[in-house]
Amino acid sequence: MVFQLLNENGLCNYYTMESNPGISKKNSPEAKKFDFLDDESVTTRLLTFNSPEFAKTLLFIPSIHCSSCIWLLENLHRLNPGVIQSSVNFPERKVSVTFSPSRTSLKEIAVLLTAIGYEPKLSFEDLESTRENSFQKSLYYKVGIAGFAFGNIMLLSFPEYLAIDASSQALKTIFGWLIILLSLPVFFYCSSGYFTSAYKSLRSKAINIDLPLALGILAFYSRSLFEILSRTGPGYMDSFAGLIFFLLIGKIFQNKTFDLLNFERNYRSYFPIAVTVKKEGIESSVPLSKVSIGDRLIIRNNELIPVDSVLVSGAAHIDYSFITGESELIQKQIGDLIYAGGRQAGNSIEVVTSKNVSQSYLTQLWNDSALNKKLKGQMATFSGKVSKYFTMVLLAIAFGALVFWSFTSLSEGLRAFSAVLIIACPCALALSTPFALGNTLRILSRNNLYLKNTTVVESLTKITHIIFDKTGTITRHKQGIITFEGATLSQTEMSLIKSLTYNSTHPLSKQIYHSFSGSAALPATLFTETEGAGIEGFIDNRYIKCGSMKFIQATLNESTFIEAPENSDISSVYVSIDNIYRGRFLIHNLYREGTDSLFAKLRATYTLSILSGDSPREAARLQELTGNEVDMRFNQSPYDKLSRVQDLQKVNQKVLMIGDGLNDSGALLQSNVGISVSEDILNFTPASDGIMEASALASLPAILQFAADSVLAIKISFAVSALYNIFGLYYAVTGLITPLFAAVLMPISSVTVIGLTVSLTTFFARRRGLRL
Amino acid sequence: MSVVAVLIGFSLIVAGGFLGAFLWAVKSGQYDDKYTPSVRILFEDKTTTVNNKNEIRQNNSKTKESS
């Protein structure tokens, strides 16, 4: 299908581009799916620009994954002549499509994209808001300007340092004015962020690192300005511009964002944009926001029920794993209430809505007043704590110097005062945190843990209690994957095995039983189950055995033998019929590999607990895997999970919640650090502080240790920069500081701190065995 | 020595030009996506006709005017 489409349009190069391009599309294209794009009110909100001849839209396509994708998607205009241009933003997995509405429509484009395997993901949320990235842009502007000013001011200051041609007073004046001119934008534009932040911290009476920084900047600038204007000296403008430049670079480093991920998702991202509404026998697609109470909705296989509603026709088998974590299907009778968030499995059903979207059970989790408050108890960061004392000591010394020198002369006192503020300007302090934590963030992302921002790293070090969700977090989402190895089984043989396993309650038997569809169970006679070995019995006068290799081999005819190697991650169940070996079932473990060692490692330092929405049927197996100290609670509703976290926080526990589904979302928000686990990070994940790829779960102990290490790295670099400050302060207090001295000391201390923090964090990561 | 002042003036103008170029690059979105263009430049577009290209260019300028 894809090939045909491409071939017709002479895009055959696609398959020669890379040896293995393309994930083949998983779902067959359903044009119906995009029916809602016919609705004008939906499309106008999806279009960033709209005119009769010309329209532009930005589509999120998670399946973009290689350079061939870029090529194919940028050649859309050859697949659909109505498309004028399309351009891909690979890091964000977005395609910007420009098309002419008179020749094609948004729906046609969406269907075409789906047909070639790039289904655009359109969610309710997209209609509500767009993300801003102007902050990042203004940071680039600031760095550019500060760097420009830094270089040029330094150039203009050289003659002064080297005392070249000191006689030419006129030249000195010109240089002085040029320097002032260059420094204006640095002071008024580039450093403005520090002043606003310092002002805010003063108003909220919580001193942060920006306050001493702003003081230093102010002292730097006013003293330099005074010196240049009064012709008493050359000022420190180069050090000043350099300081701002380094600080801003630190900010960029710290703000490395993962464009791809969205940490702020709420229920809106889970819901479809539109639903099928049946009115007077006519089906039509209606945007979700327009659905009102009493509407008759048609929910097809695998569609999400967006609103609490009542079943009116069809056989409803609802998968609530999204909400409760319980993966077993729940059957509903006509007239039953179905909560929003359930997913229909099977044929289409019809429901009548009983509530508005925003009043459904599920959505109320978010509208819960407890969650609307700014809940994260702001944990004091290390640099925040230090800067409080730092500011006080700094001010004490500065005023001390002022008073002391004022006995000699007031101007001398002011000079010493400003010199203290300049030299002690905590630039090294302010640099160490962003660089250390920025680097930590980068290293963690290499290990498939993506944190929202750098403060999460510090919060991770204070954790005392870790809560795991069960389904989807320590177990895989799907039931264990079952494959059969051996000669293909006939229909009767399958029904024999199914019938035998029906009699056993062993988890492996249950899984094999569920893996066969159809064929009803036949009665088994002489059924026996041997603990730890297997099951046997006669069905239809045939003798069937399922179990371990030894169990089967004991009665096997000599002509057949088993030559299958064992694998510890996969459980194998061997099958023989009438004493002839038929093959074996390979059942991949339901629990993620390394779960036992994960718990064993974490047990030493943290209190652990498991909150599961599931029934306690696997409690024993879980206990065996995780150890006895783990507190396990089953049948937990989303609210139970949330209140459990609150209870723990009341007794001063710092909680790390690790969960996956919507059912954990409340707990993820409430916890001190909430990390959502996902098999595929591009999938929907609830709002959280971090997103972790499931494969990284095993390295959680190392990650937690590494977080503590990075804070240690900050402390070490704080100590080093404090040494610089004491050294510089000595000169400042005694009034010996010169511009050249400042110009040399400032960059040296900054560069040492940057180098030290980055190399320390990298070193620690290597020691913890993390990928770099 | 006053020639130095002139030279400094020139050097500032040149440097300012580069600063302007950088600011323009940020403004026009060249720093929004730092990966895709590096791949895009390697694609051949044999089959794209001249007409097609012109059309694209025209439409590009249209968006800029209108947005």
Side-chain angles (χ1 to χ4, degrees):
Chain A
M1 168 77 183
V2 176
F3 179 74
Q4 265 178 7
L5 248 173
L6 296 177
N7 194 25
E8 279 167 18
N9 294 281
L11 290 181
C12 265
N13 281 351
Y14 177 63
Y15 286 104
T16 54
M17 297 279 309
E18 270 187 22
S19 49
N20 56 346
I23 320 165
S24 64
K25 62 201 154 63
K26 286 160 205 141
N27 307 319
S28 59
E30 274 184 278
K32 270 210 158 164
K33 212 168 175 179
F34 293 107
D35 272 355
F36 61 88
L37 289 178
D38 288 333
D39 189 316
E40 194 104 340
S41 65
V42 173
T43 45
T44 48
R45 289 165 94 173
L46 286 171
L47 296 173
T48 49
F49 176 77
N50 195 4
S51 77
E53 265 310 299
F54 197 75
K56 231 177 160 166
T57 183
L58 195 63
L59 300 169
F60 174 52
I61 301 182
S63 51
I64 297 177
H65 67 285
C66 66
S67 49
S68 300
C69 302
I70 301 175
W71 185 79
L72 183 59
L73 288 171
E74 297 203 337
N75 278 302
L76 271 187
H77 59 275
R78 279 145 77 181
L79 297 178
N80 181 341
V83 174
I84 293 161
Q85 192 194 19
S86 51
S87 75
V88 177
N89 182 334
F90 190 81
E92 290 184 25
R93 307 278 195 272
K94 278 184 179 152
V95 181
S96 151
V97 183
T98 315
F99 62 97
S100 117
S102 55
R103 288 198 282 170
T104 186
S105 69
L106 190 58
K107 184 186 163 192
E108 270 176 49
I109 292 169
V111 172
L112 170 70
L113 284 169
T114 312
I116 58 174
Y118 297 100
E119 185 181 330
K121 209 154 225 169
L122 302 163
S123 71
F124 197 37
E125 189 185 39
D126 293 338
L127 299 180
E128 309 281 306
S129 65
T130 47
R131 266 200 281 172
E132 283 286 336
N133 69 350
S134 59
F135 172 70
Q136 198 71 17
K137 260 190 185 174
S138 77
L139 208 51
Y140 278 122
Y141 288 144
K142 285 177 178 172
V143 168
I145 292 170
F148 167 79
F150 175 41
N152 282 293
I153 294 177
M154 212 170 193
L155 195 74
L156 294 171
S157 305
F158 261 126
E160 194 68 43
Y161 296 152
L162 306 176
I164 295 169
D165 204 10
S167 56
S168 170
Q169 196 58 44
L171 216 54
K172 234 183 194 175
T173 320
I174 294 175
F175 281 10
W177 280 105
L178 277 177
I179 287 174
I180 290 177
L181 198 68
L182 284 168
S183 67
L184 284 174
V186 180
F187 183 74
F188 286 104
Y189 178 60
C190 303
S191 56
S192 57
Y194 295 100
F195 289 116
T196 47
S197 162
Y199 176 68
K200 270 185 205 151
S201 87
L202 266 183
R203 280 194 59 181
S204 61
K205 294 198 177 79
I207 293 171
N208 64 9
I209 190 95
D210 287 342
L211 183 64
L213 215 52
L215 275 177
I217 293 170
L218 205 62
F220 246 121
Y221 195 71
S222 46
R223 173 151 175 189
S224 308
L225 211 57
F226 173 76
E227 279 192 8
I228 295 173
L229 289 176
S230 67
R231 300 195 183 168
T232 46
Y236 307 89
M237 287 300 192
D238 52 340
S239 313
F240 161 71
L243 165 72
I244 301 290
F245 179 61
F246 280 123
L247 284 173
L248 290 172
I249 289 199
K251 242 187 187 167
I252 286 196
F253 199 77
Q254 184 178 25
N255 283 328
K256 174 176 170 39
T257 46
F258 305 104
D259 299 331
L260 202 48
L261 305 172
N262 186 350
F263 295 99
E264 308 295 344
R265 286 198 177 107
N266 64 16
Y267 66 90
R268 290 201 178 96
S269 350
Y270 293 87
F271 285 175
I273 290 188
V275 285
T276 319
V277 173
K278 195 172 173 182
K279 221 174 231 168
E280 291 151 11
I282 303 156
E283 288 180 23
S284 61
S285 197
V286 169
L288 192 53
S289 49
K290 284 192 192 159
V291 170
S292 50
I293 299 174
D295 277 351
R296 203 178 170 98
L297 309 182
I298 295 181
I299 311 287
R300 299 196 180 80
N301 185 19
N302 245 335
E303 279 186 349
L304 204 70
I305 292 142
V307 196
D308 289 358
S309 38
V310 177
L311 182 67
V312 286
S313 84
H317 300 274
I318 309 295
D319 172 11
Y320 272 125
S321 62
F322 227 30
I323 308 175
T324 60
E326 167 72 63
S327 47
E328 238 155 69
L329 295 180
I330 295 169
Q331 210 162 345
K332 292 277 182 183
Q333 305 301 324
I334 286 174
D336 281 355
L337 184 68
I338 304 175
Y339 289 119
R343 201 180 275 282
Q344 160 69 355
N347 293 329
S348 302
I349 52 171
E350 286 181 38
V351 296
V352 169
T353 56
S354 61
K355 275 184 183 159
N356 280 325
V357 177
S358 58
Q359 285 162 352
S360 287
Y361 171 73
L362 183 68
T363 44
Q364 275 185 340
L365 251 185
W366 272 278
N367 302 336
D368 192 311
S369 57
L371 287 172
N372 274 341
K373 278 182 268 162
K374 191 85 201 107
L375 336 127
K376 299 270 173 199
Q378 280 289 329
M379 279 205 243
T381 57
F382 177 67
S383 73
K385 267 189 256 169
V386 169
S387 51
K388 202 153 105 192
Y389 298 108
F390 185 88
T391 315
M392 286 190 254
V393 172
L394 174 69
L395 287 176
I397 296 176
F399 278 107
L402 175 67
V403 171
F404 179 81
W405 284 102
S406 296
F407 290 121
T408 337
S409 82
L410 187 66
S411 67
E412 198 64 30
L414 279 173
R415 273 182 63 171
F417 177 72
S418 54
V420 169
L421 288 180
I422 287 171
I423 263 311
C425 177
C427 43
L429 288 185
L431 283 173
S432 58
T433 314
F435 276 95
L437 296 183
N439 196 33
T440 307
L441 221 59
R442 192 185 60 83
I443 290 169
L444 287 180
S445 73
R446 292 275 168 87
N447 291 278
N448 298 334
L449 171 63
Y450 306 88
L451 297 179
K452 188 157 109 184
N453 55 38
T454 47
T455 48
V456 181
V457 179
E458 279 192 66
S459 308
L460 271 179
T461 62
K462 304 207 173 76
I463 293 302
T464 55
H465 193 119
I466 304 178
I467 300 178
F468 290 90
D469 166 53
K470 187 178 140 291
T471 324
T473 306
I474 51 179
T475 66
R476 287 173 201 285
H477 245 305
K478 298 264 156 56
Q479 290 285 322
I481 305 148
I482 298 180
T483 47
F484 185 74
E485 211 178 68
T488 319
L489 295 169
S490 70
Q491 202 65 42
T492 32
E493 281 171 330
M494 278 196 221
S495 100
L496 290 177
I497 297 168
K498 183 174 167 107
S499 308
L500 183 77
T501 49
Y502 175 71
N503 295 288
S504 166
T505 52
H506 192 276
L508 290 179
S509 308
K510 279 237 170 274
Q511 286 189 48
I512 295 176
Y513 175 77
H514 282 297
S515 74
F516 293 114
S517 54
S519 50
L522 306 164
T525 47
L526 291 171
F527 176 81
T528 45
E529 182 158 1
T530 319
E531 194 80 9
I535 51 176
E536 55 193 310
F538 287 90
I539 297 166
D540 260 358
N541 289 325
R542 298 182 73 176
Y543 177 54
I544 303 157
K545 275 178 94 170
C546 290
S548 69
M549 195 186 333
K550 269 190 190 153
F551 179 68
I552 303 289
Q553 254 168 347
T555 58
L556 229 47
N557 289 344
E558 277 165 36
S559 58
T560 55
F561 63 101
I562 302 166
E563 24 141 12
E566 291 276 334
N567 184 337
S568 60
D569 283 335
I570 301 165
S571 338
S572 338
V573 173
Y574 295 81
V575 180
S576 73
I577 297 175
D578 293 332
N579 293 330
I580 295 167
Y581 175 61
R582 293 295 296 120
R584 61 168 179 170
F585 289 97
L586 298 177
I587 299 158
H588 295 263
N589 215 328
L590 198 63
Y591 294 91
R592 296 189 193 283
E593 285 106 65
T595 304
D596 44 351
S597 69
L598 168 70
F599 277 84
K601 275 184 206 152
L602 290 176
R603 220 157 28 209
T605 3
Y606 304 99
T607 329
L608 304 175
S609 52
I610 292 175
L611 295 180
S612 171
D614 235 335
S615 61
R617 59 172 180 237
E618 281 197 57
R621 169 103 176 84
L622 207 56
Q623 199 85 64
E624 179 192 311
L625 209 64
T626 56
N628 290 325
E629 297 93 336
V630 178
D631 173 37
M632 280 191 238
R633 284 152 201 254
F634 293 92
N635 293 324
Q636 299 279 303
S637 75
Y639 275 104
D640 292 339
K641 291 189 179 186
L642 173 62
S643 57
R644 174 75 185 139
V645 174
Q646 281 168 335
D647 289 347
L648 284 171
Q649 282 172 333
K650 267 178 209 146
V651 290
N652 267 332
Q653 296 273 13
K654 299 274 180 279
V655 182
L656 166 61
M657 173 80 205
I658 299 182
D660 72 317
L662 264 187
N663 58 330
D664 304 315
S665 50
L668 285 172
L669 277 177
Q670 175 67 38
S671 59
N672 300 78
V673 180
I675 293 178
S676 59
V677 173
S678 174
E679 300 274 354
D680 176 4
I681 51 160
L682 293 178
N683 271 348
F684 285 133
T685 43
S688 56
D689 299 307
I691 296 172
M692 183 189 245
E693 224 162 271
S695 57
L697 198 62
S699 52
L700 188 66
I703 286 168
L704 289 171
Q705 280 170 334
F706 175 56
D709 290 341
S710 343
V711 175
L712 180 68
I714 295 177
K715 286 179 183 165
I716 293 173
S717 56
F718 265 43
V720 171
S721 70
L723 282 181
Y724 272 113
N725 271 337
I726 292 167
F727 177 70
L729 269 179
Y730 170 75
Y731 282 91
V733 176
T734 51
L736 288 172
I737 186 164
T738 65
L740 183 58
F741 180 81
V744 172
L745 187 72
M746 201 279 305
I748 287 184
S749 71
S750 304
V751 170
T752 336
V753 165
I754 293 170
L756 192 69
T757 48
V758 172
S759 53
L760 269 177
T761 42
T762 312
F763 165 76
F764 284 136
R766 188 166 297 153
R767 207 178 61 179
R768 297 296 178 200
L770 294 172
R771 242 171 294 150
L772 289 176
Chain B
M1 260 327 253
S2 58
V3 72
V4 173
V6 180
L7 286 178
I8 290 283
F10 277 124
S11 85
L12 276 179
I13 289 168
V14 172
F18 281 106
L19 177 69
F22 173 74
L23 295 182
W24 167 79
V26 175
K27 188 163 192 273
S28 66
Q30 293 183 31
Y31 279 76
D32 293 353
D33 178 2
K34 282 160 266 180
Y35 176 78
T36 326
S38 71
V39 180
R40 193 177 292 143
I41 198 168
L42 298 173
F43 294 141
E44 287 185 60
D45 48 5
K46 290 179 222 158
T47 38
T48 315
T49 57
V50 182
N51 281 338
N52 215 341
K53 271 185 193 163
N54 283 341
E55 197 183 342
I56 291 169
R57 219 167 279 146
Q58 274 170 10
N59 286 316
N60 264 351
S61 50
K62 253 189 229 164
T63 13
K64 259 172 215 152
E65 281 158 23
S66 39
S67 55

